[in-house]
Amino acid sequence: MLLPEGGPALPSRISWGAVLAGSLIAAVIAATLNILGLAVGATTVDAVAHATPGAAQMGIGAAIWLVIANTLALAAGGYTAARLSGTTDDTDSVLHGLAVWALAFLVSAVLVGNLLAGLVSTASSAVSNVAGGAASAVSGVASQAMPDTSPSALVDRARDTLRGVGGEPQAMTTEQRGAEITSLLGRRIARGSFAGEERVRLDTLVAAEFGIAPEEASRRVQAMEAEAQRSAAQAAALARQAADATARAASIGAFGTVAALLLGAAAAVLGARRGTRDRVALTTSGTVRRAA
């Protein structure tokens, strides 16, 4: 119905107190049921008898229980909000139920986000502490193993190694040959193949380093290349499989989340419809029947 210009505005028909109360009740019921599910799941763990369900079974069971618990909680929250609002209009009660659903979702998202942020921060701190301890241990071992080693000595050793790169392999030291072999292999891995005379140079260096014939050195280098190519192909295949599995899991998780949200909204609406008060009816004697 259109109101005349300048006429009184319709009063607000939303009760935020009822919405807040319904959201709190939904949160408490969901937390209670989820803690109960955690307790039930913990009873299935039997490390002594090796009868613990697999991770996939535990995950599926936890997801099903989470959906059931949240659905029941939202139904109770929607019922509470509609009942406490005192509305007799079906549309108003449905909107109160949806408000409970939206508020509960936002609060849950904030809590889960804070929890994940805390877990990530804790894990990062633990990794940093472990890395720092490992670095200290390695530094201590290195100082004990090479007490006379100083930064200037290391620089001089590196300069001597680099000075021998490109020289006659037989006249080079083991450190010099090792440095050039490492450099050639690094370029081979980065480019995917040798360039120019790099293969011949690597064969000569390997032969001089290990005291073998050039033919045997060439055979070893070719075997190394074949193994590297097989390893690269396997790594690429595993990476593609991992990417496909991650994308599939993300897709299933996203669709499952949407389905859970829609189910929760439907539960809140049904609960709100159930909690809607009966319309005031006038009896034939003029008495008023109170809302149920």
Side-chain angles (χ1 to χ4, degrees):
M1 180 179 67
L2 296 177
L3 294 177
E5 184 177 356
L10 292 176
S12 174
R13 297 196 295 183
I14 185 171
S15 174
W16 286 111
V19 172
L20 182 59
S23 300
L24 290 176
I25 289 177
V28 171
I29 293 177
T32 303
L33 292 178
N34 286 325
I35 293 174
L36 175 62
L38 179 61
V40 173
T43 59
T44 63
V45 177
D46 191 353
V48 176
H50 301 285
T52 303
Q57 296 176 346
M58 294 285 286
I60 294 174
I64 293 175
W65 181 261
L66 182 65
V67 171
I68 294 175
N70 291 339
T71 301
L72 294 177
L74 286 172
Y79 177 89
T80 302
R83 196 71 177 176
L84 294 180
S85 68
T87 182
T88 59
D89 185 78
D90 291 338
T91 303
D92 289 350
S93 64
V94 167
L95 293 177
H96 278 79
L98 289 176
V100 169
W101 167 73
L103 184 59
F105 171 73
L106 291 178
V107 172
S108 300
V110 171
L111 293 178
V112 171
N114 291 334
L115 177 61
L116 292 178
L119 292 176
V120 170
S121 177
T122 303
S124 300
S125 300
V127 171
S128 299
N129 293 335
V130 171
S136 300
V138 171
S139 176
V141 172
S143 62
Q144 294 177 2
M146 297 181 295
D148 298 333
T149 300
S150 62
S152 59
L154 293 176
V155 172
D156 294 339
R157 184 178 178 182
R159 186 181 296 111
D160 293 339
T161 301
L162 293 175
R163 188 181 298 116
V165 173
E168 178 62 32
Q170 297 294 340
M172 297 168 63
T173 64
T174 298
E175 291 81 3
Q176 293 171 345
R177 286 193 295 266
E180 188 169 355
I181 290 174
T182 302
S183 177
L184 290 173
L185 292 177
R187 289 198 295 269
R188 164 64 178 80
I189 295 173
R191 291 195 301 256
S193 61
F194 288 110
E197 299 296 326
E198 289 181 344
R199 179 190 293 277
V200 177
R201 177 66 178 176
L202 181 60
D203 293 344
T204 306
L205 289 169
V206 170
E209 177 67 21
F210 299 102
I212 58 178
E215 294 79 8
E216 176 63 17
S218 178
R219 187 188 65 79
R220 292 187 182 184
V221 171
Q222 291 177 358
M224 179 274 299
E225 282 192 280
E227 181 62 26
Q229 291 176 354
R230 285 194 298 269
S231 300
Q234 292 176 357
L238 291 176
R240 288 192 296 269
Q241 293 176 1
D244 291 340
T246 302
R248 190 181 307 109
S251 177
I252 294 174
F255 281 117
T257 302
V258 172
L261 288 175
L262 294 178
L263 186 60
V269 168
L270 292 177
R273 289 293 299 271
R274 182 65 179 172
T276 304
R277 294 179 181 270
D278 294 336
R279 293 178 177 83
V280 177
L282 297 176
T283 63
T284 56
S285 61
T287 59
V288 177
R289 182 165 58 89
R290 295 183 180 273

